């Protein structure tokens, strides 16, 4: 039994290099599905997708609406859509109103995932210059999941990790290197 | 203290009751929409109204018309722009127009046309390729207010810059300024583009076949539906198309998870254009 059934990741300013470090450091047989919201401009197309594909040791794609969440796969929220988790463990991609001035918004992913995966949810909040993700981390905690926040000292932008820390919604505050070690440890453990 | 699962299950019961009340009171049926999305919109209204529970909204839905209207507008998403996803329009010209050229007349259905921008984008491209005169466009939506906006075809002037950009990237051959008349703060689409467009009310959830279409455009409408409703609407589209007719969906939509997958061939996998198989 894996400790977690899903890993949700949120990042904004400075997130790309942080995501590169994490995705390139994972074990090949990393079985837990990873879903990422990286803030991007609405018309950035799939430029970030091709960039992250280069670094990820695990298969990485932008999901379609209603796609089933699979293990051993990394999903990236497409530009200008909110990404949501449905009860039957499929994705919904919605053009709902922006939240925290963002679409995709981290809160939307974290909150919907927490209500489906409960204590099997691991949230990771990385660098960013706004507080999107704070409410999402609170929701993950409310439903007995776990939250890791990037060390604000290390983060390119400290505002986002500090948001979750100040809301008492962080179980661990770790450097990127420690995050990768912890993730690989979870896999070995299961 | 209820457990996490119980809490979510109880909220689900409440959301279902709210949607039942909404249906009985307004005829709008949101029961088969993406549940996460609906719950999020309801939750927004909950916070704004200062209620604790979803079910607290039920008396307001029944007795307070103002609240009902607010809730219905929360649930109505109308994100659209002229030539949204320009790459789709390039593909439309490249993969579908060559067939349209060979038909004596063309029937095109924009299902869930919202405020009409996509309809007029289609009209512009058809007219630039001399196909507009033989085309009849049917534009439908289940929201009467938004249909009126679509018919009026007057859009805020500050959207025009974006629309012009999209038009240029989406295969436009002229100047986008040829297609609207600018006023102080608005831009009105020229009347000649409206000539062959018929706007009408149609509800994808409850209404029937729209017959003998050559092209159906329904982009970013199905994403709000759950799997079951998507499936029934895709069947409706299949039934409404002539053999060899085209179905155009939004860039993140798919027929992979539906029963009609085998009944269509893929024309463009990146732009989600499909063609009804002839046999």
């Amino acid at each position: 039994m894996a400790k977690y059934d899903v890993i949700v990741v949120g990042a904004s300013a400075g997130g790309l290099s942080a995501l590169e470090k994490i995705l390139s450091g994972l074990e090949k047989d990393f079985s837990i599905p990873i879903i990422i919201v990286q803030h991007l401009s609405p018309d950035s197309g799939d430029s970030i997708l091709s960039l992250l594909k280069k670094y990820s040791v695990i298969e990485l794609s932008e999901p379609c609406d209603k796609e089933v969440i699979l293990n051993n796969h990394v999903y990236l929220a497409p530009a200008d859509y909110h990404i949501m988790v449905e009860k039957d463990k499929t994705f919904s991609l919605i053009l709902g109103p922006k939240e925290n001035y963002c679409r995709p918004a981290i809160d939307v992913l974290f909150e919907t995932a927490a209500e489906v995966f409960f204590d099997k949810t691991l949230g990771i909040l990385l660098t960013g210059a706004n507080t999107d993700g704070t409410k999402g981390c609170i929701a993950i905690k409310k439903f007995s999941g776990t939250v890791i926040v990037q060390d604000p000292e290390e983060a390119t932008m400290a505002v986002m990790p500090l948001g979750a820390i100040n809301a008492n919604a962080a179980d661990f505050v770790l450097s990127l290197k420690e995050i990768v070690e912890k993730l690989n440890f979870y896999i070995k453990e299961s | 203290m209820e457990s996490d699962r119980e809490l979510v299950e109880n909220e689900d019961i409440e959301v279902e009751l709210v949607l039942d009340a909404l249906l009985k009171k307004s005829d709008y049926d949101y029961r088969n929409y993406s549940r996460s999305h609906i719950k999020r919109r309801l939750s927004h209204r909950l916070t704004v109204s200062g209620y604790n529970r979803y079910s607290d909204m039920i008396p307001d839905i029944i007795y307070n018309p103002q609240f009902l209207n607010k809730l219905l507008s929360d649930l109505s998403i109308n994100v659209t722009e002229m030539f949204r996803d320009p790459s789709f329009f390039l593909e439309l010209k490249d993969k579908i127009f060559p067939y349209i050229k060979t038909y004596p007349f063309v029937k095109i259905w924009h299902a869930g046309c919202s405020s009409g921008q996509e309809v007029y984008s289609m009209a512009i491209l058809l007219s630039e390729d001399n196909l507009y005169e033989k085309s009849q466009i049917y534009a439908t939506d289940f929201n009467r207010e938004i249909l009126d906006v679509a018919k009026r075809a007057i859009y805020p002037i500050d959207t025009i810059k974006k629309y012009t950009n999209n038009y240029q990237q989406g295969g436009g051959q002229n100047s986008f300024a040829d297609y609207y008349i600018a006023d102080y703060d608005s831009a009105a689409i020229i009347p000649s583009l409206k000539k062959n467009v018929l706007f009408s009310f149609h509800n994808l959830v409850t209404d029937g076949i729209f017959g003998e279409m050559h092209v159906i455009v329904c982009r970013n409408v199905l994403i709000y539906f759950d799997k079951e409703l998507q499936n029934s609407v895709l069947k409706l589209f299949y039934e409404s198309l002539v053999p060899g007719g085209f179905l155009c969906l939004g860039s993140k939509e798919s027929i992979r998870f539906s029963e009609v997958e085998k009944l269509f061939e893929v024309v463009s996998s990146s732009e989600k254009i499909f063609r009804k198989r002839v046999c």
Side-chain angles (χ1 to χ4, degrees):
Chain A
M1 276 294 283
K3 198 172 163 85
Y4 299 106
D5 288 343
V6 74
I7 296 170
V8 287
V9 184
S12 187
L16 280 180
S17 65
L19 288 168
E20 275 169 31
K21 284 201 181 72
I22 292 175
L23 293 175
S24 58
L26 294 177
E27 303 284 342
K28 271 204 172 46
D29 57 355
F30 194 88
S31 54
I32 308 168
I34 300 174
I35 312 167
I36 300 169
V37 167
Q38 160 70 52
H39 287 166
L40 13 99
S41 75
D43 41 18
S44 51
D46 52 11
S47 51
I48 290 166
L49 178 73
S50 30
L51 196 73
L52 289 179
K53 261 188 176 157
K54 277 210 299 262
Y55 293 97
S56 181
V57 290
I58 306 158
E59 197 183 340
L60 183 143
S61 66
E62 283 182 355
C64 270
D65 178 57
K66 302 296 174 278
E67 199 165 306
V68 180
I69 300 171
L70 299 174
N71 290 337
N72 200 240
H73 202 108
V74 182
Y75 299 96
L76 179 69
D80 209 25
Y81 288 85
H82 284 312
I83 189 165
M84 296 183 173
V85 175
E86 297 286 341
K87 211 193 222 153
D88 60 358
K89 296 178 184 170
T90 58
F91 289 111
S92 278
L93 294 164
I94 301 278
L95 292 164
K98 291 184 176 180
E99 299 199 17
N100 313 308
Y101 309 102
C102 300
R103 191 170 58 218
I106 300 165
D107 282 344
V108 175
L109 169 64
F110 281 24
E111 290 176 27
T112 56
E115 287 198 20
V116 170
F117 290 99
F118 299 108
D119 58 326
K120 299 282 200 173
T121 313
L122 174 63
I124 301 176
L125 194 61
L126 303 171
T127 166
N130 62 31
T131 55
D132 185 23
T134 297
K135 274 173 41 203
C137 291
I138 293 168
I140 291 173
K141 295 300 304 156
K142 176 182 162 188
F143 290 106
S144 318
T146 308
V147 173
I148 299 176
V149 169
Q150 187 185 3
D151 186 348
E153 296 285 318
E154 182 200 55
T156 316
M157 293 285 182
V159 178
M160 190 171 275
L162 282 173
I165 293 167
N166 295 337
N168 291 324
D171 294 294
F172 304 98
V173 178
L174 304 173
S175 69
L176 292 172
K177 189 168 164 288
E178 290 167 324
I179 291 173
V180 171
E181 282 166 6
K182 204 170 193 57
L183 291 179
N184 286 330
F185 174 74
Y186 285 141
I187 291 297
K188 283 197 183 71
E189 214 184 17
S190 60
Chain B
M1 183 65 191
E2 56 191 345
S3 73
D4 294 342
R5 272 175 223 288
E6 247 179 330
L7 186 134
V8 171
E9 278 163 16
N10 288 340
E11 281 187 343
D12 284 345
I13 293 171
E14 288 189 66
V15 168
E16 274 163 34
L17 291 170
V18 167
L19 295 182
D20 283 345
L22 202 59
L23 172 63
K24 287 187 165 75
K25 193 67 201 178
S26 74
D27 275 344
Y28 280 101
D29 189 350
Y30 283 103
R31 291 172 307 175
N32 283 97
Y33 276 54
S34 148
R35 194 45 65 90
S36 297
H37 159 64
I38 291 293
K39 198 173 170 183
R40 206 156 182 90
R41 302 312 303 136
L42 293 179
S43 159
H44 162 77
R45 184 50 48 196
L46 204 66
T47 312
V48 174
S49 319
Y51 289 138
N52 286 321
R53 294 191 192 283
Y54 292 100
S55 50
D56 293 342
M57 290 197 257
I58 294 172
D60 254 346
I61 288 170
I62 300 168
Y63 298 107
N64 182 347
Q66 271 174 316
F67 181 88
L68 180 66
N69 280 335
K70 280 208 186 87
L71 193 58
L72 287 172
S73 85
D74 286 334
L75 292 170
S76 169
I77 307 281
N78 289 294
V79 176
T80 182
E81 52 193 48
M82 302 279 290
F83 298 94
R84 184 181 170 86
D85 304 324
S87 52
F88 162 75
F89 289 91
L90 288 173
E91 206 74 334
L92 174 78
K93 280 168 61 108
D94 191 39
K95 299 269 166 59
I96 298 184
F97 279 16
Y99 289 96
I100 290 181
K101 284 192 171 86
T102 66
Y103 299 153
F105 69 96
V106 192
K107 289 166 82 179
I108 300 170
W109 176 18
H110 282 262
C113 68
S114 189
S115 40
Q117 284 90 332
E118 207 160 54
V119 176
Y120 298 118
S121 305
M122 174 72 88
I124 286 169
L125 292 186
L126 288 168
S127 71
E128 288 186 358
D129 276 12
N130 299 316
L131 301 169
Y132 187 68
E133 287 310 316
K134 64 173 181 180
S135 303
Q136 177 62 54
I137 299 177
Y138 301 88
T140 66
D141 206 282
F142 78 137
N143 176 333
R144 291 180 201 277
E145 276 107 24
I146 212 80
L147 272 174
D148 287 336
V149 176
K151 278 181 214 166
R152 274 201 303 276
I154 297 171
Y155 303 116
I157 198 88
D158 53 20
T159 58
I160 290 296
K161 192 168 161 223
K162 174 92 172 105
Y163 293 179
T164 305
N165 258 332
N166 286 355
Y167 164 78
Q168 285 159 351
Q169 292 172 32
Q173 296 164 56
N174 304 338
S175 159
F176 187 62
D178 298 346
Y179 300 115
Y180 63 89
I181 299 150
D183 199 348
Y184 297 106
D185 53 2
S186 54
I189 298 293
I190 54 171
S192 64
L193 289 173
K194 301 183 187 181
K195 203 173 52 156
N196 296 350
V197 183
L198 186 68
F199 286 99
S200 58
F201 177 88
H202 180 279
N203 187 334
L204 290 169
V205 181
T206 49
D207 292 342
I209 294 171
F210 232 70
E212 303 293 297
M213 292 293 153
H214 298 97
V215 182
I216 294 176
V217 181
C218 181
R219 299 176 69 234
N220 297 323
V221 177
L222 299 182
I223 47 176
Y224 304 107
F225 300 168
D226 68 11
K227 258 198 186 117
E228 200 182 327
L229 182 56
Q230 275 190 10
N231 205 27
S232 70
V233 174
L234 285 166
K235 279 191 206 152
L236 171 78
F237 289 157
Y238 177 79
E239 301 289 332
S240 302
L241 281 167
V242 299
F246 295 91
L247 172 65
C248 308
L249 300 177
S251 59
K252 292 295 156 199
E253 294 174 323
S254 171
I255 56 170
R256 270 207 328 257
F257 318 108
S258 81
E259 289 167 28
V260 302
E261 184 187 8
K262 301 278 184 290
L263 304 174
F264 286 91
E265 54 183 306
V266 179
V267 175
S268 167
S269 58
S270 64
E271 298 306 329
K272 304 297 188 296
I273 299 174
F274 307 93
R275 194 164 192 217
K276 177 171 171 172
R277 290 185 190 277
V278 178
C279 50

